[in-house]
Amino acid sequence: MFDLKKEWRDIFLVILLFWGLSFTAFVINHISNGALNSYGLLPRHVSHLSNIAFYPFIHGTWSHLIFNLTSFTLLALGVGVNGVARLINVILLCWLFGSISVWLFGRISYHVGLSGIIYGIWGYLLIYGLVLRSIMSLIITFLVLVYFSSMIWGVFPFNYLVSFESHLFGAIAGGFIGYFLGKKDREKLNCHYDQKP
């Protein structure tokens, strides 16, 4: 039997894990005068490829940290409507494909922060709702489109201090993931309706 209470508890635990890791990394980096900055993602440097596992948790300022975690929480809850397994899958896929793309095509500079995953979830929610076209998914897509509309400017290279590559490739990865998972869920939905007497 599906336990809705447990499902949402697990969703919040996933979100809290990202808060905990990000805050811990920020405090360590702050008291060590930026010692963790070298764990940022440095494109096309094989020695930094393993930093894919660490760089999302590194943030430069308190405002950067809080803004990212707040956006991450709201968007993650939108994905969480489809369960904790879907949330974990979307995060990991956006993280992996977005990060590899940044490593392959990004500027030779240290890329840090959770924004690549955030843009991945953003792209996922926008495309998933349009493909699935259920009432709930369309409502979520509409809310994301309205509330996070300014995020579109983050994919352009307006500020050299901002990793627009993480935003761009994260959004592209999330969009593709949203398309394929939305199509898959749409087929399941159609199959369910076809089986009704």
Side-chain angles (χ1 to χ4, degrees):
M1 183 178 177
F2 182 75
D3 189 339
L4 186 61
K5 185 176 179 180
K6 180 181 182 301
E7 194 76 9
W8 278 105
R9 184 193 67 192
D10 291 343
I11 289 166
F12 278 104
L13 284 175
V14 170
I15 294 171
L16 284 173
L17 175 64
F18 276 79
W19 277 77
L21 290 173
S22 297
F23 263 101
T24 300
F26 184 84
V27 171
I28 292 173
N29 206 31
H30 182 71
I31 62 178
S32 63
N33 294 316
L36 296 185
N37 290 340
S38 61
Y39 287 91
L41 186 61
L42 192 60
R44 294 176 298 285
H45 283 65
V46 177
S47 61
H48 284 73
L49 189 56
S50 60
N51 288 358
I52 285 175
F54 309 111
Y55 85 98
F57 305 108
I58 302 170
H59 294 82
T61 64
W62 276 110
S63 59
H64 184 208
L65 175 69
I66 297 301
F67 182 81
N68 271 1
L69 287 173
T70 302
S71 300
F72 171 78
T73 299
L74 294 174
L75 291 167
L77 290 174
V79 182
V81 168
N82 288 315
V84 67
R86 173 61 57 89
L87 174 60
I88 293 172
N89 286 335
V90 169
I91 289 173
L92 292 179
L93 289 171
C94 290
W95 188 346
L96 177 64
F97 291 117
S99 299
I100 290 175
S101 298
V102 172
W103 187 82
L104 288 172
F105 306 111
R107 290 167 294 164
I108 303 299
S109 178
Y110 282 104
H111 298 259
V112 298
L114 200 56
S115 56
I117 296 174
I118 292 168
Y119 268 82
I121 300 173
W122 176 72
Y124 166 85
L125 288 172
L126 290 177
I127 301 301
Y128 179 80
L130 296 176
V131 174
L132 182 61
R133 297 194 302 277
S134 70
I135 294 175
M136 178 60 74
S137 67
L138 286 172
I139 289 173
I140 292 173
T141 294
F142 175 76
L143 292 174
V144 169
L145 187 61
V146 172
Y147 189 77
F148 292 96
S149 59
S150 62
M151 283 181 63
I152 186 63
W153 303 113
V155 303
F156 298 105
F158 293 141
N159 186 346
Y160 76 96
L161 295 175
V162 174
S163 177
F164 80 92
E165 299 97 326
S166 292
H167 301 170
L168 176 62
F169 293 124
I172 292 172
F176 274 109
I177 295 163
Y179 174 78
F180 287 110
L181 291 181
K183 190 175 180 181
K184 181 181 177 182
D185 289 351
R186 183 71 185 175
E187 290 172 355
K188 289 181 180 178
L189 198 61
N190 290 337
C191 181
H192 174 72
Y193 286 135
D194 290 340
Q195 291 175 354
K196 283 187 175 182

